[in-house]
Amino acid sequence: MTVTIATLGFPRIGPRRELKFALERYWSGKSSEADLLESAAGLRTAAWARQRALGTDWLPSNDFSLYDHVLDTSMMLGAIPERYASADGDATLATYFAMARGSTGDGAADCGHAHTRGGGETALEMTKWFDTNYHYMVPELVAGQRLALGSAKIVEDYREAKAQGFETRPVLLGPVTWLSLVKGRDVDPFDFLDQVVGLYGAVLSQLSAAGAEWVQIDEPCLVLDLSYRQRHAIAQAYARLSRYGVKLMLTTYFGGLEDNLPFALTLPVAGLHVDLVRAPEQLGAVLAEAPKSLLLSLGVIDGRNIWRADLPALLDLLEPIAATRDLILAPSCSLLHTPIDLALETGLDPEVAQWLAFAVQKIEELGILKRALNDGRDSVAKPLAASARAAANRRTSRLIHDAAVAARIAAVTPDLLQRRSAHAPRRAEQQARLALPLFPTTTIGSFPQTAEVRQARSQHGKGLLDDAAYDAFLREETERAIRWQEDVGLDMLVHGEFERNDMVQYFGEQLAGFAFTRQGWVQSYGSRCVRPPILYGDVSRPKPMTVDWWRFAQELTIRPVKGMLTGPVTILNWSFVRDDQPRSASCRQIALAIRDEVADLEAAGAKAIQIDEAALREGLPLRRKDWQHYLDWAVECFRLSAAGVADATQIHTHMCYSEFNDILTSIGAMDADVISIETARSQMELLAGFASYRYPADIGPGVYDIHAPRVPGIDEMVDLMRLARTHLDADQLWVNPDCGLKTRNWAEVRPAIEAMVAAARQLRAEA
Ligand code: GLN
Ligand code: ZN
């Protein structure tokens, strides 16, 4: 029996973010379309050559994308909303980027949900790809729309590879997952099933004619709770798609097939890929039920995280299987979600570095497993021993295991999760102490990160600006922001977050247990890449992180300045986290560190402290049945971070999304005193949910959509707050924007916040 290896997809951005820079040069008019396409082709060739050199048997093609693979699929199907269609009906690169970025592309905030952008035609909506931090462009369909074969990219990429001597297995996003991601405007996307499957059939026959033997067809929707309609669509689609002369490797990832497994095994496909990192427990059932004629691809190397595998332990599992059937070994999912090459990291502590594997190292690991299974462990004795040593070191390393943290976690008792009093008495004390007017005004925390702010930070990072000069610069910015907030008449101020690069990184850099990479970029969307912190060890807080900046700001004004923190769940969800303990355990440690910071802010005199949980909702598991468990520990961690304060200290939280109805009980259980949320775009509809739930605390429903450069008028904001009033009591309401202002510029922020304050005054006068 033979074992081969596949990668399912390789990161697109290039080892030094070459794609980002090529795109940005093109968008700014500094390079031509031909230049961009040439850079892209160079990246593809380099990726194929590299994967082959690493021993990959099943090279992917069409995993590359200039922006997003879901958008590519929409282009393939000709699913181009009318507003982007060109006069001659041709879908050009301009059409593609208009859908991706709007026709005058404008930056977006990093809240991780749909963004609208201003000027010209807005971009398609963007949202997170399953439970990753990668964003895809949401396809749209309207009633009566005609689909037609559009971009032939998948066939061209296959041919391009072949011409260079690379035989590939093209990657195609499956029809049912694509349809499941579509936003239907007055239409059920599944009404298009027939048309869509017909077009997929045409693509498959073109691939077959070009010489492709296999196609990797990704249907991650198979790890979700499927509706009857989805199941039926899958059965219908695959009955048809099996007839085009190419073998299909049905690829599932991000979870287990669970109840969908028997159904998946009835589909007429030639192979099945399963994710054994997220769902190792499905292996037994897969082996027992999959017919021998089905080629199995086992996702045994973590495609979603950066840890090196324990190869000898994996071999114990794989050897008996490989003795009875041919196998493909692969990462759990495409390597898109990992940084490219650990060898580029020269600044990491070598002890930490030896525990890690990025995309290149993961393929090496697959190669070692392959050789061990095909030629015996002795053929790779050395790398196996190294893998075992690293795993053993990680189990006991003093860098990871901190007895003081363990003792503190063991000593957490339920009373630490509990504020001293119930909400009502707290509220009375806070109101007496803060003496705010009705409809108090505030902002979410950050002010514009202007070019000067970013330049100063980058110069400081490069050593071109010394600590003292950088500090002086930040003080000036902060002082100016405080003065401006006083002048404009805001009631509760913020220091502006000028010193922060990113709301998670800023804290990670100051906490023990986190490491940072130099080149560990992962695509977030299009040209935008992030370097997630690596949470490798027990977390503690060596010293206060935000108190100095808060104090500096508060000493400038008699108005209250909010302490500003990122919450434990958000820090966890936006990092690469440990796989040697449950996520909840890591989160609890972060929560204790934040709790210390909250205590120090309170001791320094902060009357209000905001703990942002921007990513709480997006951490929800893919399957409904797993939601409650997650919500329970997430809420517990928030409470652990927040509940140590006196009744008179007001705890704020902020969440930048608007879907709350299905998690309202948990939002209530967080027991914050004030929550600010996104509502400007949904006409306050979601407040009905808060009202019927009888949410007791204060709410700041965002009246100003910070994702668009548009400056809202006073009347508009008054109208929104009047709508809010129909759901909630006047003395429950705050007036604020719907997220931080860091992606906007001062020319937009000044008039918008002035209008917001004027709106609040008008509301007070009416009350
Ligand atoms: N306090 C952060 C800010 O204002 C919150 C950002 C967010 O929720 N994404 O930028
Ligand atoms: Zn936000």
Side-chain angles (χ1 to χ4, degrees):
M1 306 287 116
T2 43
V3 172
T4 51
I5 60 173
T7 61
L8 306 190
F10 196 72
R12 305 153 180 163
I13 53 175
R16 301 205 180 259
R17 289 182 295 159
E18 291 84 348
L19 179 60
K20 172 192 179 69
F21 300 119
L23 285 167
E24 287 172 357
R25 273 196 306 276
Y26 172 70
W27 290 333
S28 66
K30 292 193 192 108
S31 72
S32 67
E33 180 170 330
D35 294 332
L36 172 63
L37 298 181
E38 191 184 308
S39 306
L43 285 169
R44 286 193 291 271
T45 302
W48 287 318
R50 188 150 204 193
Q51 290 173 88
R52 182 155 77 186
L54 292 165
T56 308
D57 301 292
W58 303 82
L59 290 174
S61 59
N62 198 44
D63 56 330
F64 180 84
S65 174
L66 281 173
Y67 204 93
D68 165 42
H69 57 277
V70 179
L71 181 58
D72 292 347
T73 313
S74 306
M75 298 302 277
M76 178 184 90
L77 299 169
I80 299 170
E82 191 145 14
R83 62 185 185 278
Y84 303 106
S86 64
D88 55 11
D90 270 2
T92 59
L93 200 59
T95 318
Y96 182 79
F97 285 132
M99 288 166 76
R101 316 175 58 234
S103 36
T104 56
D106 167 61
D110 55 354
C111 301
H113 64 120
H115 304 287
T116 36
R117 289 169 245 181
E121 204 46 77
T122 55
L124 287 175
E125 241 178 68
M126 176 163 78
T127 194
K128 293 212 172 187
W129 172 242
F130 292 79
D131 60 354
T132 72
N133 286 325
Y134 172 86
H135 303 72
Y136 69 89
M137 306 308 303
V138 179
E140 283 177 25
L141 289 172
V142 293
Q145 191 167 339
R146 293 289 314 153
L147 300 178
L149 215 47
S151 154
K153 170 179 177 285
I154 184 167
V155 187
E156 287 160 10
D157 284 7
Y158 173 78
R159 288 214 180 94
E160 176 185 284
K162 203 175 179 84
Q164 297 172 36
F166 301 109
E167 185 55 42
T168 59
R169 183 176 71 180
V171 182
L172 186 52
L173 176 60
V176 180
T177 299
W178 185 80
L179 281 169
S180 303
L181 302 178
V182 167
K183 188 164 166 189
R185 307 209 168 230
D186 309 318
V187 68
D188 179 347
F190 283 85
D191 291 349
F192 288 82
L193 180 70
D194 238 29
Q195 270 194 70
V196 166
V197 174
L199 296 171
Y200 269 82
V203 169
L204 290 181
S205 41
Q206 286 182 20
L207 284 170
S208 167
E213 189 190 349
W214 281 85
V215 166
Q216 171 186 325
I217 194 153
D218 287 3
E219 289 285 15
C221 72
L222 276 163
V223 309
L224 305 178
D225 301 312
L226 292 178
S227 66
Y228 171 78
R229 194 101 203 251
Q230 283 171 308
R231 259 172 195 260
H232 191 65
I234 291 171
Q236 270 190 308
Y238 286 88
R240 280 173 69 186
L241 295 181
S242 61
R243 301 191 203 127
Y244 290 91
V246 281
K247 294 183 193 152
L248 299 179
M249 173 56 70
L250 182 65
T251 303
T252 68
Y253 42 79
F254 302 152
L257 285 157
E258 300 186 15
D259 52 327
N260 299 325
L261 176 63
F263 166 64
L265 290 173
T266 63
L267 299 171
V269 291
L272 176 68
H273 172 85
V274 290
D275 181 341
L276 295 180
V277 175
R278 276 288 177 82
E281 68 286 349
Q282 67 180 333
L283 178 61
V286 169
L287 291 175
E289 291 163 42
K292 279 274 150 60
S293 57
L294 188 72
L295 180 56
L296 285 182
S297 165
L298 304 183
V300 289
I301 295 290
D302 197 344
R304 290 286 299 276
N305 214 330
I306 40 63
W307 304 109
R308 186 172 179 180
D310 182 347
L311 298 179
L314 272 176
L315 286 172
D316 293 343
L317 181 80
L318 294 169
E319 275 163 347
I321 309 170
T324 64
R325 60 193 301 159
D326 288 345
L327 279 184
I328 299 179
L329 298 183
S332 53
C333 59
S334 164
L335 294 168
L336 178 66
H337 310 290
T338 57
I340 296 184
D341 188 3
L342 184 64
L344 298 180
E345 298 305 324
T346 47
L348 285 173
D349 180 329
E351 188 172 351
V352 175
Q354 70 168 328
W355 304 324
L356 307 179
F358 294 176
V360 164
Q361 288 69 37
K362 287 172 187 291
I363 304 176
E364 283 169 355
E365 292 186 310
L366 289 167
I368 297 165
L369 290 173
K370 171 172 102 171
R371 281 202 59 192
L373 292 168
N374 288 340
D375 307 328
R377 292 197 195 201
D378 288 348
S379 65
V380 278
K382 263 199 174 155
L384 288 181
S387 173
R389 263 198 312 279
N393 172 279
R394 203 176 150 213
R395 275 191 290 274
T396 54
S397 169
R398 302 244 308 269
L399 286 182
I400 296 180
H401 307 279
D402 179 341
V405 174
R408 220 181 145 196
I409 290 285
V412 170
T413 46
D415 57 298
L416 294 189
L417 308 175
Q418 207 59 47
R419 293 286 295 267
R420 283 163 219 179
S421 308
H423 180 256
R426 288 188 336 239
R427 184 161 197 250
E429 273 201 47
Q430 291 160 19
Q431 278 183 346
R433 185 175 185 216
L434 288 164
L436 297 172
L438 201 57
F439 298 110
T441 53
T442 191
T443 61
I444 306 304
S446 57
F447 281 122
Q449 291 264 330
T450 56
E452 297 83 77
V453 173
R454 279 178 281 133
Q455 197 192 340
R457 180 177 312 123
S458 120
Q459 299 219 313
H460 179 240
K462 289 181 190 143
L464 299 171
L465 192 65
D466 66 25
D467 289 354
Y470 182 52
D471 211 59
F473 171 82
L474 293 174
R475 280 166 188 259
E476 258 174 57
E477 289 293 314
T478 308
E479 175 153 13
R480 219 194 331 251
I482 293 285
R483 291 290 161 252
W484 176 74
Q485 292 174 86
E486 287 185 324
D487 288 349
V488 76
L490 282 158
D491 300 305
M492 185 169 284
L493 312 194
V494 296
H495 76 284
E497 303 182 25
F498 300 105
E499 76 288 8
R500 301 188 188 176
N501 34 19
D502 170 276
M503 63 186 284
V504 169
Q505 191 178 344
Y506 183 75
F507 291 93
E509 280 175 348
Q510 302 186 71
L511 292 168
F514 282 87
F516 288 84
T517 62
R518 297 215 174 117
Q519 294 294 332
W521 298 100
V522 178
Q523 190 176 22
S524 168
Y525 61 88
S527 62
R528 183 167 169 131
C529 305
V530 293
R531 271 180 306 176
I534 295 175
L535 198 189
Y536 66 86
D538 287 343
V539 176
S540 58
R541 188 200 64 149
K543 58 181 204 306
M545 304 182 282
T546 64
V547 176
D548 285 348
W549 280 113
W550 174 81
R551 188 183 288 117
F552 173 74
Q554 184 64 84
E555 281 170 358
L556 295 168
T557 178
I558 52 161
R559 303 199 181 190
V561 178
K562 280 190 274 193
M564 192 59 61
L565 304 173
T566 302
V569 186
T570 299
I571 293 180
L572 183 90
N573 283 342
W574 286 349
S575 301
F576 284 123
V577 302
R578 295 171 68 169
D579 62 354
D580 57 349
Q581 65 181 16
R583 292 172 74 81
S584 55
S586 299
C587 199
R588 222 163 271 133
Q589 295 180 355
I590 306 170
L592 282 176
I594 299 295
R595 183 183 177 97
D596 293 343
E597 190 69 15
V598 168
D600 284 342
L601 282 167
E602 181 182 52
K607 296 182 185 136
I609 299 167
Q610 179 171 311
I611 306 172
D612 292 326
E613 284 292 17
L616 189 129
R617 194 192 156 91
E618 67 187 50
L620 279 174
L622 294 172
R623 297 268 195 170
R624 267 280 178 162
K625 67 168 171 35
D626 303 325
W627 278 26
Q628 201 53 49
H629 174 66
Y630 163 77
L631 287 168
D632 288 348
W633 65 252
V635 168
E636 185 194 307
C637 288
F638 179 85
R639 293 176 66 127
L640 185 56
S641 70
V645 294
D647 287 349
T649 303
Q650 190 170 59
I651 295 289
H652 292 231
T653 189
H654 164 70
M655 296 180 179
C656 21
Y657 39 84
S658 55
E659 307 95 54
F660 285 97
N661 282 339
D662 46 6
I663 57 167
L664 264 177
T665 316
S666 300
I667 300 297
M670 289 168 71
D671 198 23
D673 297 304
V674 185
I675 182 173
S676 59
I677 55 179
E678 193 240 86
T679 38
R681 283 178 283 170
S682 55
Q683 293 295 308
M684 304 284 156
E685 271 163 28
L686 78 125
L687 294 183
F690 279 87
S692 58
Y693 170 74
R694 299 193 181 283
Y695 187 75
D698 290 7
I699 306 184
V703 289
Y704 157 30
D705 172 10
I706 65 95
H707 301 93
R710 202 177 142 265
V711 174
I714 302 176
D715 292 347
E716 191 179 326
M717 294 196 256
V718 169
D719 285 347
L720 280 172
M721 288 305 293
R722 285 196 192 122
L723 280 175
R725 271 285 290 114
T726 64
H727 299 292
L728 298 161
D729 292 341
D731 66 356
Q732 220 180 342
L733 289 167
W734 289 61
V735 182
N736 48 254
D738 67 3
C739 196
L741 297 162
K742 70 174 170 198
T743 57
R744 300 264 61 98
N745 61 49
W746 279 108
E748 295 154 350
V749 165
R750 278 194 203 98
I753 299 296
E754 275 166 19
M756 192 185 89
V757 171
R761 293 201 173 121
Q762 189 173 325
L763 290 159
R764 280 170 211 153
E766 283 172 15

